[in-house]
Amino acid sequence: MNTADQYLKAIYLVQKMENGPASTGALADRLEVSPASVNEMIGKLQERGLADHEKYKGVTLTDEGIEQAREALQTYCIIERFLHNVLEVEEFPSEAKALESVIDETVAERLDTIIDREPQCPDCFDAEADMCAELVGSEGEAD
Amino acid sequence: MSVHDRVSTDNQLARLLQIAVVLEEVVEVRAARHYETLSPAERDDDIEALLEAARDESADHRQRLESLIDQLDAEAVPLEEVEALVEATYAQTGPEDFDGVLYDQLHGEETAYKFYDDLIEAIEASDTDFGLDRDDLLATLKEIRAEEADGVEEVTAVMEARE
């Protein structure tokens, strides 16, 4: 998953939690980067028609941005569930975050063939807990 | 973990190598099942040789990856479990005809190639001192990547010969 997709996913989730535009500060916290980096990427996403930025309010995804963010979120869910269900990784949330930049959607799709993902994915993703809702509460343990 | 980090720890590297083992195992098991799904009229020496070579190559890649994982003191992938999962889902996701078999095989090889390509790039971009010899690691991964590229060409050749 490339950096832009990681940003789109973060904006999508922050928007969901705040029920409105995502602030630069919230995105910087979530992605553990500087607000300047966030602003730079938002500019790029805006140029590509994936997000709209309103000063003092925050960033909102366009329809195309939402579509791409949901695909990125689905890829992320596959990584989480694969780590938890197949490799039995206890610390799957932190490991999924560490691996997402190296695993693209083609590879995730292949891994998806052996995991039992819910049909409603990624709608059930728990934005507050920042993990697949089906896996909430199972950190520190594996299947 | 920030969005800028790539492969920066032994644990992360081991995890990615474990994922590679699973991708190889998926190709291996599906290649074995593919031949069984073909009707007698569709079976011939070329397709049998192709699927057998794919199976052998994936097994060889898997063993080489497992040796790297071992050097990182990480746990081995639960292969029997993965095999059971692939078998269990083959009924739902397996191809229905000969062209589907070839396409599925091609997709498996292409996916593996893409994964190794991304992994090599991420390792080369990292200045981490891993718990194994970096030159050996990269040499092994590049050899495997080259063999995946050959695999893609071989499947493509069989597909073109059928057209």
Side-chain angles (χ1 to χ4, degrees):
Chain A
M1 193 188 301
N2 60 36
T3 311
D5 281 344
Q6 290 178 59
Y7 270 86
L8 289 171
K9 176 162 70 70
I11 297 167
Y12 179 82
L13 292 172
V14 171
Q15 269 194 259
K16 202 171 167 182
M17 283 191 296
E18 295 184 356
N19 205 16
S23 67
T24 307
L27 290 171
D29 287 348
R30 195 166 182 107
L31 292 162
E32 294 178 33
V33 296
S34 67
S37 299
V38 173
N39 281 328
E40 191 185 339
M41 180 54 84
I42 288 172
K44 289 180 187 168
L45 296 175
Q46 211 166 358
E47 278 169 27
R48 288 162 56 187
L50 298 169
D52 290 320
H53 186 231
E54 209 176 327
K55 222 173 177 183
Y56 308 117
K57 282 196 172 172
V59 61
T60 310
L61 294 178
T62 61
D63 288 350
E64 202 183 336
I66 290 171
E67 198 180 318
Q68 207 166 311
R70 286 174 59 82
E71 277 171 22
L73 187 55
Q74 197 163 306
T75 296
Y76 182 74
C77 288
I78 293 169
I79 298 170
E80 270 197 339
R81 289 186 73 95
F82 174 79
L83 289 174
H84 180 266
N85 298 357
V86 180
L87 295 185
E88 300 176 356
V89 176
E90 292 182 3
E91 304 301 326
F92 65 89
S94 58
E95 290 211 19
K97 283 183 182 60
L99 296 177
E100 64 176 343
S101 67
V102 197
I103 298 176
D104 83 345
E105 62 179 56
T106 322
V107 174
E109 271 173 30
R110 198 69 176 174
L111 299 177
D112 194 27
T113 61
I114 57 165
I115 58 169
D116 191 18
R117 201 156 47 88
E118 301 301 316
Q120 66 269 30
C121 178
D123 288 331
C124 53
F125 192 86
D126 188 329
E128 297 280 354
D130 199 17
M131 70 175 79
C132 166
E134 295 291 319
L135 301 179
V136 172
S138 59
E139 311 98 284
E141 59 178 64
D143 256 10
Chain B
M1 182 59 62
S2 85
V3 290
H4 299 298
D5 289 319
R6 300 280 279 177
V7 187
S8 54
T9 64
D10 273 7
N11 184 59
Q12 209 180 340
L13 174 62
R15 205 60 85 199
L16 289 161
L17 293 172
Q18 287 175 330
I19 289 172
V21 167
V22 173
L23 291 174
E24 296 289 355
E25 180 74 2
V26 173
V27 170
E28 196 179 331
V29 176
R30 285 176 82 91
R33 290 296 303 271
H34 285 342
Y35 196 68
E36 294 164 19
T37 65
L38 295 175
S39 69
E42 288 172 321
R43 297 183 189 188
D44 64 27
D45 291 347
D46 282 352
I47 185 77
E48 186 173 10
L50 177 84
L51 294 175
E52 197 177 332
R55 224 161 47 220
D56 291 349
E57 190 179 279
S58 284
D60 173 59
H61 289 176
R62 191 165 47 67
Q63 281 155 16
R64 290 159 78 182
L65 293 163
E66 280 168 345
S67 153
L68 294 172
I69 293 169
D70 199 40
Q71 290 175 54
L72 292 166
D73 288 331
E75 281 177 32
V77 175
L79 279 176
E80 280 180 16
E81 200 176 309
V82 173
E83 190 178 332
L85 287 168
V86 181
E87 295 275 358
T89 53
Y90 192 88
Q92 289 110 49
T93 61
E96 286 174 0
D97 57 21
F98 188 85
D99 288 333
V101 163
L102 287 178
Y103 181 78
D104 191 86
Q105 199 59 38
L106 180 67
H107 183 54
E109 307 260 6
E110 281 179 341
T111 304
Y113 177 88
K114 171 80 177 117
F115 184 76
Y116 291 118
D117 203 43
D118 288 345
L119 181 54
I120 289 165
E121 190 190 316
I123 292 168
E124 285 178 334
S126 163
D127 51 13
T128 304
D129 195 11
F130 296 113
L132 46 66
D133 188 287
R134 172 185 279 264
D135 292 340
D136 280 352
L137 168 69
L138 284 168
T140 303
L141 292 175
K142 284 178 182 176
E143 276 169 27
I144 294 178
R145 179 181 62 178
E147 286 172 11
E148 296 297 345
D150 291 345
V152 169
E153 276 186 29
E154 283 158 22
V155 183
T156 309
V158 173
M159 285 171 127
E160 282 171 357
R162 280 176 50 82
E163 281 176 2

